[in-house]
Amino acid sequence: MRRAIWRTRWRWMEEHPPPGPFRRGFWRSPLRGPWLTAVFGFALLIGISVLFVTGLLSYAAYNPDLGANDLTPDKGVLGFYLFDWPTDPVWLYRATQGVHVTLGLVLIPVLLAKLWSVIPKLFDWPPSRSAAQVVERLSLLLLVGGAVFEFVTGILNIQMFYVFPGSFYTLHFYGAWVFMAAFVVHVAFRLGRMSSALRSRNLREELLTDLAHTRTEPPDPDQLVSPNPAEPTISRRGVLGLVGASSLTLFVLTAGQSIGGPLRRIALLAPRGQELGNGANDFQVNKTAAHVGVTPEQTGPAWRLTLRGGQTSPTLSREDLLAMPQHTAQLPIACVEGWSTTDQVWTGVRMRDLAALAGVPEPVTVFVESLEDGTFGSATLRQNQILDDRSLLALSVNGADLSLDHGFPARVIVPANPGVHNTKWVARMTFEA
Ligand SMILES: Nc1nc2c(c(=O)[nH]1)N[C@H]1C(S)=C(S)[C@@H](COP(=O)(O)O)O[C@H]1N2
Ligand SMILES: [Mo]
């Protein structure tokens, strides 16, 4: 009896949706349909998988097992896959992080197109038909919310709008796991429909079809296709071209910040894309000395480097360091924000010579501290990084003394290390055996 009443109520609701977007006839684009949605979905499936993997790699490169490098609480559970980040090839982090950031930007138009293509589903009526449908809609909320959250936080960070409550890094990291959980559920539910929708039309034929011959897709069980489509004002190939051209534009205007070469000059959307000049120190600066409050007095003749960890704690002046054996390595700076330099020629003292001098010839870690005591003022390096012959406490770059902004009197440079761990204006190094 009760059931019957409910059933009639539901039917009544189904037949009387509120006006506006809740009525299927409100959505009239003749292009919406399973095939178009599947094309965008397929691009996102591949792209987001690569974003996730490169994001996880970025996290591993951060060396979060070393307490000082990452204060994300409970990272242990989510960091189950961590491994020792290698120092070879030297461009490894340049590549993984360049792909992460560039791909993230390039996918923005695809994400927007995908959301546009399924927007009528947001207004599905009645809002809850069955328990399964409620669960699916909640998972879609996490999916869409998670995608928007990850893209927005990522973009804000690379554009240097640090407006986050707490650390960007923690938010983006947790957000990624929540988003990926929803993503996996979504893919599991929709993979079959995506592949049959992809097979329902021929891509090459679509690309040859002009506006005059553009027809609506046949009605589909998911009801993406409009029941009373308007006349098309753009062809399917037009939409694909628009999205593709937008992605390509974003690529061209940002990729140069990591790829370098001629593209660098037109990396206009990247705040640290372009190069500054031809001088030895004329490559990107992350934070200037003035910005972090490091003064010329602190870095003048009174500056000393303290080495800790052994029986004694020797202090060295810049002259003392210059009197030690000098080594040269060609290494890039590669920032987590996506920009990187081509190889610069760094000269200075080997990290492991300093370990020996400190009385810790077989160090497991070194904790490096800067004159600056902000968030980026310290980092911990791992054994394979300390012992690499190319890991230096650099005193000069490209044949000239380091500029104040690049970390004078001395800065860390380690192959394949995320830029943030190449600490500038080093004051103390504590080696642990
Ligand atoms: N002390 C200190 N070291 C620092 C930073 C900082 O803000 N303070 N920024 C780091 C980051 S995020 C990067 S990408 C590199 C950039 O080095 P560069 O400015 O010499 O290019 O320096 C790293 N070292
Ligand atoms: Mo950075």
Side-chain angles (χ1 to χ4, degrees):
M1 181 60 193
R2 257 227 197 118
R3 263 220 191 133
I5 293 178
W6 269 113
R7 212 173 296 139
T8 15
R9 274 193 197 163
W10 274 124
R11 188 150 322 128
W12 186 87
M13 267 181 89
E14 246 180 292
E15 284 160 10
H16 298 84
F22 294 97
R23 303 206 165 162
R24 286 192 56 220
F26 176 89
W27 303 99
R28 300 198 58 199
S29 169
L31 298 184
R32 277 204 190 87
W35 182 80
L36 195 63
T37 293
V39 171
F40 297 136
F42 182 67
L44 287 177
L45 172 61
I46 309 281
I48 286 175
S49 302
V50 175
L51 281 185
F52 188 54
V53 171
T54 48
L56 291 183
L57 290 178
S58 186
Y59 185 62
Y62 230 75
N63 288 355
D65 279 349
L66 308 177
N69 289 352
D70 174 21
L71 304 175
T72 307
D74 294 331
K75 63 187 181 235
V77 186
L78 299 176
F80 62 92
Y81 68 93
L82 292 173
F83 56 97
D84 284 5
W85 187 250
T87 53
D88 268 304
V90 298
W91 44 261
L92 184 63
Y93 193 72
R94 258 193 100 183
T96 61
Q97 198 60 11
V99 167
H100 187 72
V101 169
T102 307
L103 184 59
L105 290 168
V106 164
L107 285 180
I108 295 171
V110 186
L111 179 70
L112 295 177
K114 173 75 168 35
L115 292 176
W116 167 83
S117 80
V118 295
I119 204 157
K121 304 305 290 173
L122 195 67
F123 298 93
D124 232 3
W125 191 266
S128 57
R129 216 167 280 138
S130 63
Q133 191 216 15
V134 171
V135 171
E136 206 203 352
R137 296 196 79 185
L138 283 177
S139 85
L140 288 182
L141 204 67
L142 282 184
L143 183 77
V144 175
V148 170
F149 182 83
E150 287 303 283
F151 276 80
V152 168
T153 50
I155 293 161
L156 287 175
N157 193 57
I158 59 182
Q159 293 296 332
M160 302 181 298
F161 296 114
Y162 304 117
V163 291
F164 309 104
S167 148
F168 153 77
Y169 182 63
T170 309
L171 292 175
H172 200 66
F173 178 68
Y174 283 145
W177 283 102
V178 173
F179 169 59
M180 284 313 288
F183 185 74
V184 167
V185 169
H186 183 66
V187 171
F189 272 111
R190 302 295 169 99
L191 196 63
R193 261 175 287 172
M194 184 188 80
S195 64
S196 59
L198 281 178
R199 273 180 278 119
S200 71
R201 299 174 96 78
N202 180 310
L203 177 64
R204 186 128 57 86
E205 260 165 43
E206 281 315 316
L207 294 179
L208 294 172
T209 305
D210 63 8
L211 179 58
H213 296 90
T214 299
R215 303 277 175 276
T216 303
E217 291 183 48
D220 63 314
D222 289 317
Q223 303 193 325
L224 286 170
V225 176
S226 173
N228 60 332
E231 274 300 300
T233 51
I234 183 171
S235 63
R236 252 177 228 100
R237 81 169 167 196
V239 169
L240 293 178
L242 199 64
V243 173
S246 309
S247 289
L248 186 67
T249 307
L250 284 173
F251 179 85
V252 167
L253 292 183
T254 53
Q257 68 168 335
S258 43
I259 294 176
L263 272 182
R264 197 181 284 283
R265 243 175 301 144
I266 48 171
L268 300 171
L269 289 182
R272 291 195 187 87
Q274 294 98 31
E275 235 136 53
L276 316 158
N278 295 320
N281 276 280
D282 289 346
F283 55 94
Q284 287 77 351
V285 168
N286 178 36
K287 299 244 170 68
T288 62
H291 184 90
V292 300
V294 168
T295 63
E297 292 77 68
Q298 289 176 286
T299 55
W303 175 85
R304 293 291 179 277
L305 170 71
T306 308
L307 300 176
R308 297 202 292 209
Q311 303 289 2
T312 59
S313 294
T315 36
L316 304 153
S317 66
R318 200 175 135 94
E319 285 65 42
D320 296 333
L321 288 168
L322 284 166
M324 290 175 66
Q326 301 293 298
H327 296 273
T328 290
Q330 297 200 22
L331 303 170
I333 299 264
C335 182
V336 66
E337 289 162 16
W339 61 268
S340 55
T341 72
T342 45
D343 290 357
Q344 312 292 326
V345 184
W346 306 90
T347 305
V349 181
R350 268 189 188 144
M351 207 79 86
R352 61 159 189 223
D353 290 351
L354 292 172
L357 198 61
V360 190
E362 283 172 21
V364 176
T365 62
V366 62
F367 180 55
V368 182
E369 292 168 275
S370 170
L371 289 170
E372 173 212 352
D373 39 34
T375 336
F376 300 141
S378 65
T380 304
L381 301 169
R382 212 192 280 275
Q383 186 168 45
N384 65 320
Q385 296 176 312
I386 306 168
L387 297 184
D388 193 294
D389 276 351
R390 299 158 299 179
S391 295
L392 304 176
L393 185 69
L395 307 169
S396 67
V397 65
N398 302 319
D401 284 351
L402 286 177
S403 67
L404 186 55
D405 285 341
H406 280 305
F408 184 89
R411 65 109 32 100
V412 168
I413 184 81
V414 168
N417 203 21
V420 62
H421 287 168
N422 289 331
T423 306
K424 304 196 277 192
W425 314 292
V426 173
R428 257 186 314 277
M429 299 174 81
T430 307
F431 292 93
E432 257 181 63

